[in-house]
């Protein structure tokens, strides 16, 4: 599949240049983001943007961790300025508590990045954070023992959409069950995959089929695809639509 080959090419380019201490999961996230970005030097552009984020972050900020490379890839994908984006993210995190959201975790930081990147240079309305909190409550009604702060980033993504909270919850649960029908193992990894896959189009069964096709393509390349890579498969399955 072209999508899998394109992803593998970008990932290999980053892996050849990465620091030896960098988590390969972060590198995979960056590669999945950059494979559709207009960058001539994947590692060079990524490293420069990541260093800008690090320089502006406080000493104990999660942004100073290797996750900054995944965040930098998102900034490059949107062709935004890393310094300005960081400052807008910090401003948004300061508004989290008013919506009864916790601002201190890496999941909260990633959520704020996703919301800011979606809005570009326009202000983020308070309603987006209110909607994010409502979506989390709706997801928790279906999976009370799975839903928590680790679901912040996906709730943030869904909060930028126009459909109703109930509609969002029903769609995600239908996708979760469709993936289960494809013999995917239930749990946190599958919940995250359902959050991602439900961002696409088509019926729940059609979305699950795309997920299964990408998983099989990775397996055909000799990759081991366990639950820890469900999110990777989900993002690549979305690429069948968006690239």
């Amino acid at each position: 599949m072209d999508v899998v080959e394109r992803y593998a090419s970008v990932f290999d380019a980053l892996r050849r240049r990465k620091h030896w201490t960098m988590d390969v999961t972060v590198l995979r996230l960056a590669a999945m983001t950059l494979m559709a970005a207009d960058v001539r030097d994947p590692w060079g552009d990524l490293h420069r943007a990541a260093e800008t984020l690090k320089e502006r972050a406080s000493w104990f900020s999660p942004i100073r961790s290797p996750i900054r490379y995944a965040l930098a890839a998102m900034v490059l994908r949107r062709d935004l300025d890393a310094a300005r984006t960081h400052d807008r993210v910090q401003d948004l995190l300061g508004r989290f508590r008013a919506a009864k959201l916790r601002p201190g975790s890496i999941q909260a930081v990633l959520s704020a990045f996703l919301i800011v990147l979606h809005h570009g240079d326009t202000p983020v309305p308070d309603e987006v954070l209110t909607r994010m909190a409502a979506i989390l409550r709706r997801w928790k009604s279906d999976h009370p023992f799975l839903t928590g702060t680790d679901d912040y980033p996906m709730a943030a993504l869904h909060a930028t959409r126009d459909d109703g909270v109930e509609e969002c919850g029903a769609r995600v649960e239908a996708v979760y069950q469709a993936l289960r029908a494809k013999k995917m193992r239930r749990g946190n990894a599958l919940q995250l995959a359902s959050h991602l896959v439900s961002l696409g189009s088509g019926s729940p069964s059609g979305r699950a089929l795309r997920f299964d096709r990408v998983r099989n393509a990775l397996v055909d390349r000799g990759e081991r695809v366990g639950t820890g890579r469900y999110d990777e498969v989900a993002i690549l399955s979305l690429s069948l639509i968006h690239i």
Side-chain angles (χ1 to χ4, degrees):
M1 294 173 63
D2 289 344
V3 165
V4 172
E5 293 300 326
R6 188 180 301 115
Y7 160 63
S9 175
V10 176
F11 176 70
D12 287 342
L14 295 182
R15 184 170 54 181
R16 286 194 298 270
R17 300 281 301 280
K18 79 177 181 72
H19 299 310
W20 68 272
T21 55
M22 189 183 300
D23 189 329
V24 70
T25 300
V26 172
L27 208 64
R28 289 189 187 280
L29 289 172
M32 283 184 282
T33 303
L34 287 179
M35 69 180 193
D38 183 19
V39 292
R40 294 184 179 180
D41 178 12
W43 173 255
D45 291 346
L46 182 68
H47 184 67
R48 283 187 289 273
E51 287 304 292
T52 297
L53 294 178
K54 181 180 178 181
E55 289 165 3
R56 298 188 77 84
S58 64
W59 185 254
F60 296 106
S61 171
I63 297 174
R64 295 185 68 89
S65 74
I67 196 66
R68 69 183 180 275
Y69 284 90
L71 300 175
M74 296 178 194
V75 172
L76 292 174
R77 171 80 177 266
R78 292 297 184 115
D79 195 25
L80 296 174
D81 178 75
R84 175 170 167 73
T85 299
H86 173 273
D87 293 348
R88 295 193 64 215
V89 165
Q90 294 305 115
D91 176 71
L92 184 61
L93 285 169
R95 297 158 54 191
F96 264 44
R97 292 195 185 280
K100 299 183 178 179
L101 296 167
R102 300 175 184 176
S105 67
I106 186 59
Q107 291 88 353
V109 170
L110 179 54
S111 303
F113 260 92
L114 291 170
I115 292 172
V116 166
L117 292 174
H118 174 80
H119 284 81
D121 290 323
T122 62
V124 177
D126 289 337
E127 290 77 10
V128 175
L129 296 182
T130 302
R131 177 175 162 78
M132 176 180 162
I135 288 172
L136 284 164
R137 290 193 296 271
R138 175 60 178 80
W139 288 348
K140 196 171 184 65
S141 69
D142 284 324
H143 298 279
F145 299 109
L146 296 180
T147 306
T149 55
D150 55 328
D151 296 297
Y152 271 28
M154 293 313 306
L157 270 182
H158 284 272
T160 63
R161 296 161 66 97
D162 295 330
D163 54 343
V165 171
E166 181 59 34
E167 181 183 351
C168 170
R171 180 179 63 250
V172 168
E173 181 60 17
V175 170
Y176 184 94
Q177 297 303 331
L179 290 171
R180 281 285 299 137
K182 291 290 184 184
K183 310 300 182 184
M184 305 303 161
R185 296 182 62 181
R186 67 182 73 210
N188 279 309
L190 187 60
Q191 173 156 293
L192 174 56
S194 68
H195 292 164
L196 286 162
V197 172
S198 63
L199 291 169
S201 60
S203 66
S205 60
R207 301 176 205 223
L209 178 61
R210 285 196 295 266
F211 181 98
D212 202 36
R213 287 174 57 201
V214 171
R215 180 183 178 279
N216 290 336
L218 287 169
V219 170
D220 289 344
R221 285 178 52 89
E223 304 267 4
R224 297 182 62 182
V225 185
T227 57
R229 295 184 69 181
Y230 278 4
D231 54 348
E232 179 183 351
V233 176
I235 293 172
L236 290 172
S237 74
L238 291 175
S239 300
L240 295 179
I241 308 169
H242 299 305
I243 293 179

